[in-house]
Amino acid sequence: MDHRRAQQQQQGAAAPEPEETTMEVDSLPLETRCPPFPLRQYKGFWIPELTLRRGVPGFRSRFTPRPTDIILASFPKSGTTWLKALAFATLRRAAHPPSFADHPLRRANPHDIVRFVETDFARAESADELGDDLEALPSPRLLATHLPHSLLPQRVRAMCKIVSVSREPKDALVSWWNFVRKAAPAFGGDAAAFTFEEAFDLFCDGRCVYGPAWMYTLDYSEAGRRRPGNVLFLRYEKMLLQPRDELKRLAEFMECGFSVKEEQRGVVDDVVELCSFDKLKNMEVNRNGTGKGKLPVENADFFRKGVAGDWRNHMTPEMAQRLDKIVQDALQGSGFSFNDDSA
Ligand SMILES: Nc1ncnc2c1ncn2[C@@H]1O[C@H](COP(=O)(O)OS(=O)(=O)O)[C@@H](OP(=O)(O)O)[C@H]1O
């Protein structure tokens, strides 16, 4: 990397290289063993093919970022649904007090309230129409992405506030495998025969949707360190341990911190409660509904156990050691470790 670009990256400025808005997808390495989508390796990450063909180009060419935009970014199965609920309930609490019986989160799944930009572009009938729809949304817009930080459009990285949530890779893998087996039939795929051992080997090799998981996390942790005002880096495990504190950090970052009066009135607790695993999982819409969006997934599939450490029920100690070592080696010298609670 030349010095000027290295310096700009250190300062957090967007890299100056021209951004591709059409992709030569067919020549990229292909992985077909990870249901439910074929993946292509692009700039170090395994991305759904359709996202590369249509999603990323649409995001880059038809999305006009605003400084007030808040983009929620997550590796799949790392707390996306929870973060969407928390961010929405917090940002829109004036219009929708969290204790109200008709709160939108009591009627719709968080994924139908906060949309994934690249997934919507990937599946949109018309990218222009979707671009116009996004343009028509009032500020501040709350949107989501599964793209790694380095693959987001440059103007999004430069301009928007980005909240990322990361999860310990062994638990993300277990969650992914369970989800894929349930959700794959909805995409026309068959994952009944996809064994945990197969998923484990692919995951260790970085081959899963948006993998390698640890490089994805590093991408956002470094962005958060370079530009703390632009990128908030949250950890799923910390959110489980201290939901109120993490929620308050999220609110401050989104520039809608809770006032002392609100805290005294119990608004922070109300948001935590409304978005808690048990509350969301047991809502009628999340027990029996199907996503209204572009992904034909049962809402219930987004809520399984919601705990840390379930990997122990799926992996032998040897498997866990193998994956830990891969992650440790890959992150060595990076300054980030999944074992460091302060990271
Ligand atoms: N409110 C709340 N609190 C805590 N945990 C929650 C919550 N909602 C969902 N979950 C758990 O998050 C896992 C799903 O991850 P994602 O939401 O990132 O999935 S997705 O990428 O949007 O498909 C999945 O984890 P596992 O239970 O380990 O599979 C969900 O159960």
Side-chain angles (χ1 to χ4, degrees), residues 126-343:
S126 154
D128 283 340
E129 259 175 45
L130 176 59
D132 291 344
D133 289 350
L134 291 169
E135 201 55 44
L137 293 176
S139 297
R141 293 183 297 187
L142 187 60
L143 297 162
T145 184
H146 273 322
L147 289 177
H149 186 260
S150 50
L151 297 190
L152 289 174
Q154 283 170 14
R155 288 175 310 152
V156 169
R157 278 181 280 160
M159 202 185 284
C160 307
K161 279 189 174 281
I162 299 169
V163 182
S164 111
V165 59
S166 293
R167 190 177 191 184
E168 203 283 323
K170 298 193 291 304
D171 278 339
L173 158 62
V174 165
S175 185
W176 171 58
W177 179 71
N178 277 291
F179 178 77
V180 150
R181 282 163 39 99
K182 279 196 223 149
F187 296 92
D190 174 18
F194 188 47
T195 66
F196 185 72
E197 286 68 24
E198 282 173 293
F200 178 81
D201 283 338
L202 287 163
F203 192 90
C204 283
D205 205 18
R207 291 165 189 258
C208 60
V209 186
Y210 298 99
W214 45 94
M215 296 316 289
Y216 188 103
T217 298
L218 184 59
D219 210 29
Y220 277 101
S221 128
E222 285 185 340
R225 232 175 298 163
R226 277 198 311 270
R227 308 189 71 198
N230 279 69
V231 179
L232 177 69
F233 181 72
L234 297 174
R235 306 271 301 267
Y236 180 82
E237 294 75 18
K238 216 170 179 174
M239 289 164 64
L240 286 177
L241 283 176
Q242 42 191 61
R244 290 184 93 258
D245 291 349
E246 294 305 285
L247 176 62
K248 287 198 296 189
R249 280 180 72 207
L250 170 65
E252 291 289 337
F253 179 81
M254 295 194 299
E255 297 180 10
C256 60
F258 293 98
S259 67
V260 175
K261 271 197 181 147
E262 280 186 303
E263 273 207 77
Q264 286 167 346
R265 284 205 330 264
V267 180
V268 176
D269 293 318
D270 287 347
V271 172
V272 168
E273 168 74 4
L274 173 66
C275 303
S276 68
F277 180 78
D278 287 337
K279 262 273 150 40
L280 289 182
K281 183 184 168 93
N282 289 312
M283 279 172 195
E284 175 59 22
V285 66
N286 292 326
R287 281 194 300 149
N288 295 312
T290 299
K292 288 191 196 60
K294 301 285 185 295
L295 296 181
V297 176
E298 304 283 321
N299 291 342
D301 294 348
F302 292 107
F303 306 92
R304 195 181 61 93
K305 287 193 174 176
V307 298
D310 189 42
W311 59 266
R312 290 187 183 82
N313 298 315
H314 291 77
M315 284 180 211
T316 62
E318 292 72 31
M319 289 167 101
Q321 267 170 23
R322 182 179 149 202
L323 180 48
D324 284 346
K325 170 111 177 56
I326 290 169
V327 174
Q328 239 170 21
D329 289 352
L331 297 181
Q332 194 153 33
S334 70
F336 175 77
S337 160
F338 284 99
N339 300 324
D340 178 1
D341 289 343
S342 66

